Amino acid sequence: MSLPEGNPVRLWALLPLLASVVLGVGVLASPLPPLAGILGGAAASLVAVLAMLELVGSFDDPVEPAAEVGLRALLGPGFVLLAVALAAVVALRGAVGGYLSATMMAVVAPGLWLGLLVAGHRLAVAAGLMTRGERLLERSGFWVLALAGLLYLPTLGGHGLSDPWETHYGEVSREILARGDWISLWWAQDGWFWSKPVLTFWLEALAMALLGVRYEPGRMLSAVGEGRLPAPEWAVRLPVFLVAVIGVYVLYEGVRASHGRRAGLLGAVLLMAAPQWALLAHQGMTDMPFLGFMAAAMGFTLAAMVSDPEAAVTRYGLRLGRRGFRLSGYHLVVGAILLCVVPQCLYLASRNLTLGFAPFHVGFVADHFASGSPGACGTYGNAICETGIAPRADGFQPLAQALLWLQCAGLVLWLAWGERRRQRLLMLAAWLCVALASMAKGPAGLGLPVLATAVYLVATGRLRELSRMEIAAGALIFVSVALPWIVAMYMRHGPPFTDRLLVHDMFKRAFRHVHDTNEGDDTSFRYYIWQLGYATFPWVGLAPMAAVRWLRRDGVPRDPDRERRFTGEVLLGAWLLVGFALFSVMGTKFHHYGAPLVPPLAMLSGIFLAERWRDRDGSDEALFGGASLVVAAVVVLAVGRDLAWRAPGRLSEARLFHLVTYAYDRPWPTGLDHHLALWLFTGAAALALGAMIALRLRRRAAMLVLAVSLGFGAWLLDVYLPALSPHYGQRELFLRYEREQARDPGPIIAYQMNWKGENFYRGNEVVAFVSTGRLFQDHVASLRTSGVRTMYFVTQPKRLDSLRAEIGVVPESLSTPEENNKFLLLRVHFPP
């Protein structure tokens, strides 16, 4: 098929394009602080992308716009939106710096989120993007976004990071800023970090720099000495929250396109409230960036599949003086693709440039990098810092790499030059999300959406639609977005990097047992059925019916409305079945590996609930009527009993946190008991599902199901998780150390620890002994010889007797099991 003809080229745009590239490379090559470099690089990238869009004449579409406004009409609403956004940044920086308490942020953060939505709506109405007469509260999309903020934001940064994964990844992100290297990742005493792709760490590092985290060695919690309680957790978790919102909203839009607003809204509410999704939205892990962008990819694909293949996107007009601009979804999609490629290329090019100011100098250099952790160079457990390390393969310099990726992005721009068809643009957006999901956690971000879509095409006999899926452009998008970091890492570190990332942490995890903790458990196909029960509580009773009901469809309906519904259900069903099959056959199994099954299950459940909502005369009772709702109530009671029933040897409520953590045999805090609340939620959900049997009560009962689910999600994030967090992390211990060492100075040593909270909360200014013996004893002896009489230790309770024996002194405990049952803070006063 021939490519759509584009607009004439505007060659004058080459001037701002080249200027922005030179400026961006110069800023990133200069010794500026990270925040200045980020802001300068972002501004240069934005100008470069706009210049590229102007170069291909994309702002000059001849089609008359649906609405045209002047800049003056946008100034007022735009200023309000900008003011609210700046207030949000100021508030978040205040929380990170300890100026705003967790209690204050529980009100301020959701309030500013709602303010952003209202201000954004006003600007959209002023620009003609939304109907002026339609009220904001009548838009179901607003409720999706509003509920996400109200549910997730109150305590997002109000409790400590959980060991091991949040602090592991937070420490890698901190080291990006401390080391000034966005390619080669470092991991405290473990050295190079090669086990995960880079997206999560880039997002967290960007948030740390923008929100004022003190990432320098030893300064993470230093604001305690100034009388404040800093909360760097806001920076670690904010990107995860934003990706979760993107995933929910785009998937809602896809289901809305196939099944209508009610089904999309109900599915989105169930997804947001699902324990596994909600908990992952509060965990600074790689899983939500992978999961959120994969859900967005499937949402875009679903919207594309039910779109008119030849329908064009709506154009809008903006007039600046004599110049009129035509804006559309093309600019959002293609602009987003370019914004994911251009910054990477600018940074790569800057690796071959040196720029200084005192005195001013510019020069071209070969790529080189450093190893080690600043502030901990040569301390026990940390490598000696080395600078000027040459890449293993120096024939393909970063500047040449940048030119290659820019060529790939240029081909995408050429393939989409005149593309204004909505379906094709949605597919390009889906490919972008696939690339981002792969950048978060590897090939599953590509494999699962592609396989699910392929199964849908085969099952429905629609293989001819492959020609409309933009496979060539999609491959180029994936290459230019997801591969630059991997290639740069391979050039620097060679096969050891790919052996660890691709062979050990991806291939072997898929086909062998690698570091999982499920010894003795049933890891057959039952494993993820078991975990999905907890992952979808308390609306779990809807899941079995929703998972199979779409299978009763007989062929492709000819009615357009029914065909759209059929398309949506089969695509979601294929996603669920393919994902379940893939994760069930994997050798390595963690509870959270089943998380990609939650979004399709939630949306299918929302569709099922919407159909029950519409059914006023019992016409669908024959197959999915009273009996199935009774079964649903029984399923809720069974899963709720498993969570709420406390008895020796039973995990009970720990099963919820096990959905997102590691080492499932760690002891549960004896002082925490939520069984009464769990019984109440169980009873309420079972009652609501049972009440749906009565036709006259069905809508009220469905609303009660949603209310109970949202209530449980709020309880989980605002009560359960904050109460549990001090026992699964080290924030409170290191806050206490900061206060104690101000009065009684002394170094802190991590004894037989490798949980990374000890590294993150001290900015890696800690001596960490993963193992013990003569080296540990010699280190303590050397400190005593140098005159140190007070030392602090952080360790696990089971290591206490060993520590006493090695130091020969009974330490003073500064924490209690009631405060933290996983870790101890100790102080030792040695005699002269």
Side-chain angles (χ1 to χ4, degrees):
M1 184 176 180
S2 61
L3 297 174
E5 184 177 354
N7 297 321
V9 173
R10 286 184 169 268
L11 290 177
W12 73 268
L14 287 173
L15 293 176
L17 175 59
L18 294 175
S20 61
V21 168
V22 171
L23 176 63
V25 172
V27 166
L28 295 174
S30 65
L32 293 172
L35 180 57
I38 289 169
L39 294 177
S45 299
L46 180 60
V47 173
V49 169
L50 292 175
M52 293 170 77
L53 294 173
E54 174 68 4
L55 179 65
V56 296
S58 67
F59 299 112
D60 301 320
D61 285 353
V63 178
E64 284 299 317
E68 185 174 58
V69 297
L71 180 62
R72 182 176 299 179
L74 303 181
L75 289 179
F79 176 79
V80 172
L81 178 60
L82 179 62
V84 177
L86 290 175
V89 173
V90 170
L92 287 167
R93 289 180 66 91
V96 166
Y99 296 97
L100 295 180
S101 67
T103 304
M104 295 173 66
M105 285 300 291
V107 177
V108 171
L112 287 170
W113 177 257
L114 293 178
L116 285 171
L117 295 181
V118 173
H121 177 260
R122 289 187 59 190
L123 181 61
V125 170
L129 303 178
M130 293 183 179
T131 305
R132 192 173 294 272
E134 187 177 8
R135 297 177 56 195
L136 178 61
L137 299 182
E138 295 172 351
R139 301 186 65 89
S140 55
F142 163 78
W143 286 107
V144 172
L145 295 173
L147 288 173
L150 293 173
L151 182 62
Y152 295 153
L153 281 174
T155 58
L156 182 69
H159 52 88
L161 301 181
S162 300
D163 286 323
W165 283 323
E166 279 198 287
T167 48
H168 274 59
Y169 301 151
E171 174 59 17
V172 173
S173 304
R174 186 199 67 80
E175 286 279 21
I176 288 176
L177 300 176
R179 299 176 70 248
D181 189 343
W182 294 76
I183 298 175
S184 298
L185 306 182
W186 191 263
W187 201 21
Q189 66 267 12
D190 289 281
W192 299 117
F193 181 84
W194 292 340
S195 62
K196 291 290 185 294
V198 76
L199 180 63
T200 302
F201 314 110
W202 280 353
L203 294 176
E204 290 185 1
L206 287 171
M208 287 182 188
L210 292 172
L211 299 184
V213 170
R214 297 182 178 181
Y215 58 83
E216 300 88 353
R219 299 196 65 218
M220 182 61 66
L221 299 178
S222 60
V224 171
E226 301 161 22
R228 303 189 305 276
L229 290 179
E233 295 82 6
W234 279 101
V236 174
R237 295 189 182 125
L238 185 66
V240 171
F241 157 74
L242 293 174
V243 174
V245 173
I246 291 171
V248 170
Y249 184 78
V250 176
L251 197 52
Y252 148 79
E253 287 287 353
V255 174
R256 183 186 67 82
S258 65
H259 283 78
R261 293 195 302 175
R262 181 181 292 123
L265 178 59
L266 296 180
V269 170
L270 295 178
L271 177 56
M272 286 187 289
Q276 193 157 49
W277 183 280
L279 288 170
L280 285 174
H282 264 230
Q283 296 287 293
M285 298 162 54
T286 57
D287 293 82
M288 183 51 77
F290 156 68
L291 189 57
F293 283 120
M294 186 186 65
M298 295 304 294
F300 281 125
T301 302
L302 176 52
M305 291 297 96
V306 298
S307 296
D308 181 351
E310 300 304 322
V313 292
T314 305
R315 275 82 152 186
Y316 299 92
L318 174 64
R319 181 156 295 280
L320 299 178
R322 296 182 178 180
R323 175 75 191 276
F325 294 84
R326 300 290 184 264
L327 306 174
S328 69
Y330 168 89
H331 298 94
L332 288 178
V333 174
V334 177
I337 295 168
L338 295 175
L339 278 173
C340 290
V341 178
V342 170
Q344 296 189 67
C345 295
L346 294 181
Y347 184 78
L348 285 171
S350 72
R351 299 307 86 197
N352 289 129
L353 182 71
T354 177
L355 176 64
F357 301 112
F360 180 81
H361 64 277
V362 179
F364 292 94
V365 296
D367 183 35
H368 60 278
F369 57 102
S371 67
S373 176
C377 298
T379 62
Y380 181 82
N382 276 273
I384 296 174
C385 294
E386 297 182 49
T387 59
I389 302 174
R392 286 198 174 209
D394 59 0
F396 190 29
Q397 287 291 310
L399 178 58
Q401 298 169 35
L403 293 175
L404 173 63
W405 310 128
L406 281 176
Q407 288 180 53
C408 293
L411 285 174
V412 173
L413 193 60
W414 176 69
L415 288 172
W417 194 331
E419 188 59 77
R420 302 297 184 271
R421 289 170 292 185
R422 185 173 185 272
Q423 185 184 70
R424 303 301 184 98
L425 292 172
L426 287 171
M427 286 309 307
L428 293 179
W431 281 110
L432 173 61
C433 292
V434 162
L436 293 173
S438 300
M439 284 183 70
K441 209 170 182 181
L446 171 67
L448 185 52
V450 168
L451 284 175
T453 305
V455 169
Y456 154 78
L457 293 175
V458 172
T460 57
R462 295 178 172 178
L463 290 174
R464 64 184 183 279
E465 294 187 9
L466 280 171
S467 63
R468 297 200 293 265
M469 290 191 169
E470 296 294 330
I471 295 176
L476 287 167
I477 291 169
F478 186 87
V479 166
S480 59
V481 172
L483 291 192
W485 175 77
I486 292 177
V487 171
M489 282 289 290
Y490 185 80
M491 292 299 106
R492 282 187 171 186
H493 301 282
F497 160 66
T498 49
D499 288 347
R500 177 58 196 261
L501 178 67
L502 301 179
V503 178
H504 181 274
D505 282 285
M506 294 181 183
F507 180 83
K508 288 186 177 180
R509 283 188 184 233
F511 299 104
R512 301 179 189 176
H513 286 274
V514 177
H515 206 51
D516 62 10
T517 55
N518 292 304
E519 294 85 355
D521 284 339
D522 180 0
T523 56
S524 67
F525 74 93
R526 169 188 174 273
Y527 181 83
Y528 288 116
I529 296 177
W530 173 32
Q531 295 307 318
L532 283 172
Y534 314 128
T536 59
F537 183 82
W539 54 265
V540 59
L542 298 172
M545 296 175 289
V548 300
R549 61 172 297 282
W550 60 275
L551 293 172
R552 63 186 175 128
R553 304 295 189 189
D554 298 324
V556 181
R558 294 184 178 180
D559 174 73
D561 184 59
R562 295 185 64 188
E563 183 177 356
R564 284 196 303 271
R565 295 173 180 274
F566 173 82
T567 296
E569 292 174 29
V570 174
L571 184 58
L572 292 170
W575 177 6
L576 179 63
L577 292 180
V578 170
F580 183 80
L582 286 176
F583 295 120
S584 293
V585 301
M586 283 180 61
T588 304
K589 287 183 172 66
F590 288 112
H591 295 354
H592 66 283
Y593 279 8
L597 308 178
V598 175
L601 202 52
M603 303 316 287
L604 287 169
S605 297
I607 292 169
F608 173 81
L609 198 60
E611 291 189 351
R612 305 287 79 69
W613 188 295
R614 287 195 304 268
D615 183 39
R616 303 302 300 273
D617 57 4
S619 58
D620 62 355
E621 294 294 315
L623 184 58
F624 289 97
S628 60
L629 291 169
V630 170
V631 172
V634 172
V635 169
V636 171
L637 289 172
V639 176
R641 170 188 173 276
D642 212 18
L643 293 172
W645 182 23
R646 293 175 62 89
R650 294 186 63 85
L651 292 174
S652 60
E653 60 190 284
R655 297 183 186 278
L656 291 169
F657 195 60
H658 287 175
L659 292 170
V660 295
T661 191
Y662 166 78
Y664 311 123
D665 58 350
R666 288 189 284 174
W668 182 258
T670 55
L672 295 184
D673 183 357
H674 299 300
H675 78 281
L676 180 58
L678 287 165
W679 279 122
L680 289 174
F681 281 114
T682 299
L687 178 64
L689 287 171
M692 288 180 65
I693 297 173
L695 291 175
R696 289 186 298 177
L697 298 177
R698 180 159 291 180
R699 289 192 176 183
R700 291 186 177 89
M703 293 178 66
L704 182 58
V705 171
L706 297 175
V708 173
S709 299
L710 283 172
F712 184 74
W715 173 84
L716 195 67
L717 297 178
D718 300 337
V719 178
Y720 175 89
L721 191 55
L724 198 57
S725 177
H727 297 276
Y728 279 84
Q730 301 178 54
R731 169 186 163 83
E732 285 74 16
L733 299 186
F734 279 91
L735 285 173
R736 184 165 299 173
Y737 167 70
E738 293 286 345
R739 290 190 289 263
E740 293 293 334
Q741 66 94 21
R743 297 189 293 266
D744 189 4
I748 187 166
I749 300 172
Y751 179 76
Q752 293 194 15
M753 293 276 284
N754 191 24
W755 292 91
K756 290 296 183 286
E758 63 273 15
N759 301 106
F760 177 81
Y761 282 114
R762 277 297 294 165
N764 203 32
E765 196 176 83
V766 60
V767 178
F769 288 86
V770 178
S771 58
T772 185
R774 173 58 60 186
L775 289 174
F776 168 73
Q777 296 166 14
D778 290 346
H779 178 73
V780 172
S782 67
L783 289 175
R784 294 183 64 182
T785 301
S786 65
V788 175
R789 293 291 173 260
T790 300
M791 299 182 202
Y792 296 83
F793 296 88
V794 60
T795 189
Q796 299 175 84
K798 62 183 178 181
R799 312 291 187 193
L800 183 56
D801 291 341
S802 174
L803 177 62
R804 288 171 180 163
E806 292 207 63
I807 62 177
V809 178
V810 177
E812 172 193 1
S813 180
L814 299 179
S815 63
T816 66
E818 290 73 26
E819 295 170 323
N820 190 322
N821 78 328
K822 306 289 189 303
F823 306 103
L824 290 170
L825 179 63
L826 307 168
R827 176 167 53 196
V828 175
H829 289 114
F830 289 98

